[in-house]
mmCIF file with all atom_site columns, all heavy atoms in Angstrom:
data_model
loop_
_atom_site.group_PDB
_atom_site.id
_atom_site.type_symbol
_atom_site.label_atom_id
_atom_site.label_alt_id
_atom_site.label_comp_id
_atom_site.label_asym_id
_atom_site.label_entity_id
_atom_site.label_seq_id
_atom_site.pdbx_PDB_ins_code
_atom_site.Cartn_x
_atom_site.Cartn_y
_atom_site.Cartn_z
_atom_site.occupancy
_atom_site.B_iso_or_equiv
_atom_site.pdbx_formal_charge
_atom_site.auth_seq_id
_atom_site.auth_comp_id
_atom_site.auth_asym_id
_atom_site.auth_atom_id
_atom_site.pdbx_PDB_model_num
ATOM 1  N N   . LEU A 1 25  ? -3.303  -29.736 -2.865  1.00 55.00 ? 25  LEU A N   1
ATOM 2  C CA  . LEU A 1 25  ? -4.442  -29.482 -3.898  1.00 55.00 ? 25  LEU A CA  1
ATOM 3  C C   . LEU A 1 25  ? -5.471  -28.433 -3.437  1.00 55.00 ? 25  LEU A C   1
ATOM 4  O O   . LEU A 1 25  ? -5.912  -27.720 -4.216  1.00 55.00 ? 25  LEU A O   1
ATOM 5  C CB  . LEU A 1 25  ? -5.098  -30.905 -4.170  1.00 55.00 ? 25  LEU A CB  1
ATOM 6  C CG  . LEU A 1 25  ? -4.395  -31.860 -5.010  1.00 55.00 ? 25  LEU A CG  1
ATOM 7  C CD1 . LEU A 1 25  ? -5.218  -33.118 -5.145  1.00 55.00 ? 25  LEU A CD1 1
ATOM 8  C CD2 . LEU A 1 25  ? -3.934  -31.362 -6.439  1.00 55.00 ? 25  LEU A CD2 1
ATOM 9  N N   . ARG A 1 50  ? 1.442   -1.976  -11.982 1.00 42.00 ? 50  ARG A N   1
ATOM 10 C CA  . ARG A 1 50  ? 2.509   -2.387  -12.832 1.00 42.00 ? 50  ARG A CA  1
ATOM 11 C C   . ARG A 1 50  ? 3.921   -2.324  -12.142 1.00 42.00 ? 50  ARG A C   1
ATOM 12 O O   . ARG A 1 50  ? 4.870   -1.972  -12.640 1.00 42.00 ? 50  ARG A O   1
ATOM 13 C CB  . ARG A 1 50  ? 2.559   -1.401  -14.117 1.00 42.00 ? 50  ARG A CB  1
ATOM 14 C CG  . ARG A 1 50  ? 1.306   -1.438  -14.889 1.00 42.00 ? 50  ARG A CG  1
ATOM 15 C CD  . ARG A 1 50  ? 1.404   -0.519  -16.029 1.00 42.00 ? 50  ARG A CD  1
ATOM 16 N NE  . ARG A 1 50  ? 0.165   -0.510  -16.707 1.00 42.00 ? 50  ARG A NE  1
ATOM 17 C CZ  . ARG A 1 50  ? -0.018  0.285   -17.770 1.00 42.00 ? 50  ARG A CZ  1
ATOM 18 N NH1 . ARG A 1 50  ? 0.920   1.232   -18.140 1.00 42.00 ? 50  ARG A NH1 1
ATOM 19 N NH2 . ARG A 1 50  ? -1.226  0.233   -18.453 1.00 42.00 ? 50  ARG A NH2 1
ATOM 20 N N   . ALA A 1 210 ? -0.180  17.436  8.807   1.00 96.00 ? 210 ALA A N   1
ATOM 21 C CA  . ALA A 1 210 ? -0.698  18.842  9.001   1.00 96.00 ? 210 ALA A CA  1
ATOM 22 C C   . ALA A 1 210 ? -0.601  19.640  7.767   1.00 96.00 ? 210 ALA A C   1
ATOM 23 O O   . ALA A 1 210 ? 0.528   19.880  7.363   1.00 96.00 ? 210 ALA A O   1
ATOM 24 C CB  . ALA A 1 210 ? -0.098  19.469  10.232  1.00 96.00 ? 210 ALA A CB  1
ATOM 25 N N   . VAL A 1 218 ? 11.967  8.797   12.230  1.00 96.00 ? 218 VAL A N   1
ATOM 26 C CA  . VAL A 1 218 ? 12.649  7.761   11.595  1.00 96.00 ? 218 VAL A CA  1
ATOM 27 C C   . VAL A 1 218 ? 13.041  6.491   12.323  1.00 96.00 ? 218 VAL A C   1
ATOM 28 O O   . VAL A 1 218 ? 13.379  5.559   11.797  1.00 96.00 ? 218 VAL A O   1
ATOM 29 C CB  . VAL A 1 218 ? 14.010  8.445   10.993  1.00 96.00 ? 218 VAL A CB  1
ATOM 30 C CG1 . VAL A 1 218 ? 13.746  9.624   10.100  1.00 96.00 ? 218 VAL A CG1 1
ATOM 31 C CG2 . VAL A 1 218 ? 14.835  8.827   12.200  1.00 96.00 ? 218 VAL A CG2 1
ATOM 32 N N   . VAL A 1 248 ? -1.029  9.828   4.302   1.00 98.00 ? 248 VAL A N   1
ATOM 33 C CA  . VAL A 1 248 ? -1.519  10.445  3.041   1.00 98.00 ? 248 VAL A CA  1
ATOM 34 C C   . VAL A 1 248 ? -2.942  10.431  2.861   1.00 98.00 ? 248 VAL A C   1
ATOM 35 O O   . VAL A 1 248 ? -3.473  11.327  2.151   1.00 98.00 ? 248 VAL A O   1
ATOM 36 C CB  . VAL A 1 248 ? -0.769  9.760   1.985   1.00 98.00 ? 248 VAL A CB  1
ATOM 37 C CG1 . VAL A 1 248 ? -1.490  8.538   1.458   1.00 98.00 ? 248 VAL A CG1 1
ATOM 38 C CG2 . VAL A 1 248 ? -0.480  10.652  0.636   1.00 98.00 ? 248 VAL A CG2 1
ATOM 39 N N   . LEU A 1 349 ? -22.561 -2.455  -0.710  1.00 96.00 ? 349 LEU A N   1
ATOM 40 C CA  . LEU A 1 349 ? -21.766 -1.305  -1.080  1.00 96.00 ? 349 LEU A CA  1
ATOM 41 C C   . LEU A 1 349 ? -22.459 -0.012  -0.813  1.00 96.00 ? 349 LEU A C   1
ATOM 42 O O   . LEU A 1 349 ? -23.564 0.020   -0.385  1.00 96.00 ? 349 LEU A O   1
ATOM 43 C CB  . LEU A 1 349 ? -21.632 -1.306  -2.648  1.00 96.00 ? 349 LEU A CB  1
ATOM 44 C CG  . LEU A 1 349 ? -20.752 -2.506  -3.157  1.00 96.00 ? 349 LEU A CG  1
ATOM 45 C CD1 . LEU A 1 349 ? -20.691 -2.449  -4.693  1.00 96.00 ? 349 LEU A CD1 1
ATOM 46 C CD2 . LEU A 1 349 ? -19.360 -2.550  -2.678  1.00 96.00 ? 349 LEU A CD2 1
ATOM 47 N N   . VAL A 1 395 ? -17.611 -1.135  7.024   1.00 96.00 ? 395 VAL A N   1
ATOM 48 C CA  . VAL A 1 395 ? -16.370 -0.773  6.397   1.00 96.00 ? 395 VAL A CA  1
ATOM 49 C C   . VAL A 1 395 ? -16.206 -0.864  4.971   1.00 96.00 ? 395 VAL A C   1
ATOM 50 O O   . VAL A 1 395 ? -15.691 -0.060  4.320   1.00 96.00 ? 395 VAL A O   1
ATOM 51 C CB  . VAL A 1 395 ? -15.208 -1.695  7.117   1.00 96.00 ? 395 VAL A CB  1
ATOM 52 C CG1 . VAL A 1 395 ? -13.779 -1.399  6.374   1.00 96.00 ? 395 VAL A CG1 1
ATOM 53 C CG2 . VAL A 1 395 ? -15.094 -1.299  8.668   1.00 96.00 ? 395 VAL A CG2 1
ATOM 54 N N   . LYS A 1 398 ? -17.566 2.209   3.537   1.00 97.00 ? 398 LYS A N   1
ATOM 55 C CA  . LYS A 1 398 ? -16.571 3.325   3.432   1.00 97.00 ? 398 LYS A CA  1
ATOM 56 C C   . LYS A 1 398 ? -15.482 3.136   2.408   1.00 97.00 ? 398 LYS A C   1
ATOM 57 O O   . LYS A 1 398 ? -14.997 4.025   1.713   1.00 97.00 ? 398 LYS A O   1
ATOM 58 C CB  . LYS A 1 398 ? -15.885 3.296   4.848   1.00 97.00 ? 398 LYS A CB  1
ATOM 59 C CG  . LYS A 1 398 ? -16.852 3.671   6.006   1.00 97.00 ? 398 LYS A CG  1
ATOM 60 C CD  . LYS A 1 398 ? -16.409 3.554   7.351   1.00 97.00 ? 398 LYS A CD  1
ATOM 61 C CE  . LYS A 1 398 ? -17.287 3.722   8.447   1.00 97.00 ? 398 LYS A CE  1
ATOM 62 N NZ  . LYS A 1 398 ? -16.868 3.393   9.812   1.00 97.00 ? 398 LYS A NZ  1
#
Side-chain angles (χ1 to χ4, degrees):
L25 286 179
R50 299 181 182 174
V218 300
V248 87
L349 295 175
V395 170
K398 295 170 185 176

